[in-house]
Amino acid sequence: MPAASVQPARRTRSPVRATQTEHGSWPKETTVTINHPPAQRAPGGREPLLPALMTATAVSGLIDAISYLGLGHVFTANMTGNVVIIGFAAAGVPGFSVLGSLVSLAAFLVGAVAAGRLETVMRHRTSSRWLRLTLVLEMVLLATATAVAFAASHAVYALIALTALAMGLRNGTVRKLAVPDVTTTVLTLTLTGLASDSTLAGGANPRAGRRLVSVLAMLTGAFGGALLVQHTGLGWPLLAGTFGTAAAALAVPRSSSSS
């Protein structure tokens, strides 16, 4: 029986020019064969980070429910909402805080900068280790916010800053990991893709299941967060967000190829 065939590594031919000789002439152009190992991919095209990212998306809905309903109509995960709210407040619409939204924006941007700096440390590590570290840091920030809420629930700006910092850190990391159709904090592009790529629009519904799960995860988090804020105050929903982030960190696989 003939031996099974083995797919050879891809071979390319790259031109390399030699340096000038001591007699001032240039030798003919030569070629060097370089072997490129095949890229690593998840089996069957699966994305191993999805369970963790979907759990984090639910936490985002929870955090925005806490911030909007309990911290003075401010978003700490969805920054588009904050920009709109600043416009409302600047126009004199009652019930909105320019200062609260500015604190949220500033803290979120600091978190995103920290995510960029973290990339320089983690760029040679697997995406699993990078995401897990980010989620652990987010969990610490949310745990701190939980302690503040139980000790001094009137410390609104501290709670805004802590939760927005956590969301900025995570959002900056998820953006760099670039898992298609999963941002964990906003759904505008997800919903746009769900509609514009649908069979109704002449498309093939790529990643429709992933997109729908993202929407449902954030909806579930917002629903649960709204119930908790209305009936228990701020401390318990923040504690739920802390445990949710811990669950997301545990859902990260031990190893995966970089995205």
Side-chain angles (χ1 to χ4, degrees):
M1 180 181 295
S5 61
V6 178
Q7 184 68 29
R10 182 164 56 91
R11 302 168 68 89
T12 59
R13 304 182 70 82
S14 304
V16 178
R17 294 186 180 278
T19 56
Q20 191 175 21
T21 65
E22 58 180 338
H23 300 293
S25 62
W26 293 86
K28 295 181 179 180
E29 183 177 300
T30 60
T31 60
V32 177
T33 301
I34 304 173
N35 293 327
H36 298 277
Q40 295 181 346
R41 294 186 183 277
R46 292 180 291 108
E47 173 50 64
L49 301 180
L50 275 183
L53 293 175
M54 292 304 175
T55 305
T57 301
V59 172
S60 294
L62 175 68
I63 293 299
D64 266 342
I66 294 169
S67 61
Y68 190 82
L69 299 176
L71 298 176
H73 292 174
V74 170
F75 290 105
T76 55
N78 178 9
M79 291 300 111
T80 303
N82 273 333
V83 173
V84 174
I85 285 173
I86 290 172
F88 291 164
V93 178
F96 297 100
S97 169
V98 171
L99 180 58
S101 293
L102 288 175
V103 169
S104 182
L105 276 170
F108 187 92
L109 292 174
V110 170
V113 169
R117 299 298 299 174
L118 186 61
E119 181 192 18
T120 63
V121 177
M122 302 298 293
R123 64 177 49 169
H124 300 301
R125 309 291 180 89
T126 64
S127 55
S128 287
R129 295 184 67 178
W130 184 5
L131 179 60
R132 188 182 301 111
L133 175 60
T134 297
L135 291 172
V136 168
L137 293 174
E138 177 184 329
M139 181 183 67
V140 171
L141 289 168
L142 292 182
T144 304
T146 301
V148 171
F150 279 121
S153 59
H154 59 277
V156 172
Y157 294 119
L159 293 175
I160 290 173
L162 285 168
T163 54
L165 181 62
M167 294 299 101
L169 175 63
R170 190 227 292 165
N171 201 60
T173 300
V174 171
R175 177 181 178 274
K176 290 180 179 296
L177 291 175
V179 176
D181 293 307
V182 182
T183 65
T184 76
T185 56
V186 292
L187 293 176
T188 302
L189 289 177
T190 302
L191 289 167
T192 301
L194 192 61
S196 64
D197 295 336
S198 66
T199 53
L200 187 63
N205 285 318
R207 296 185 296 275
R210 179 185 303 188
R211 292 164 172 172
L212 282 172
V213 172
S214 292
V215 174
L216 291 175
M218 190 169 292
L219 178 63
T220 301
F223 176 78
L227 287 179
L228 286 171
V229 170
Q230 289 183 91
H231 295 98
T232 67
L234 298 176
W236 291 107
L238 281 168
L239 183 61
T242 303
F243 280 114
T245 304
L250 290 174
V252 178
R254 286 298 172 184
S255 63
S256 72
S257 58
S258 299
S259 298

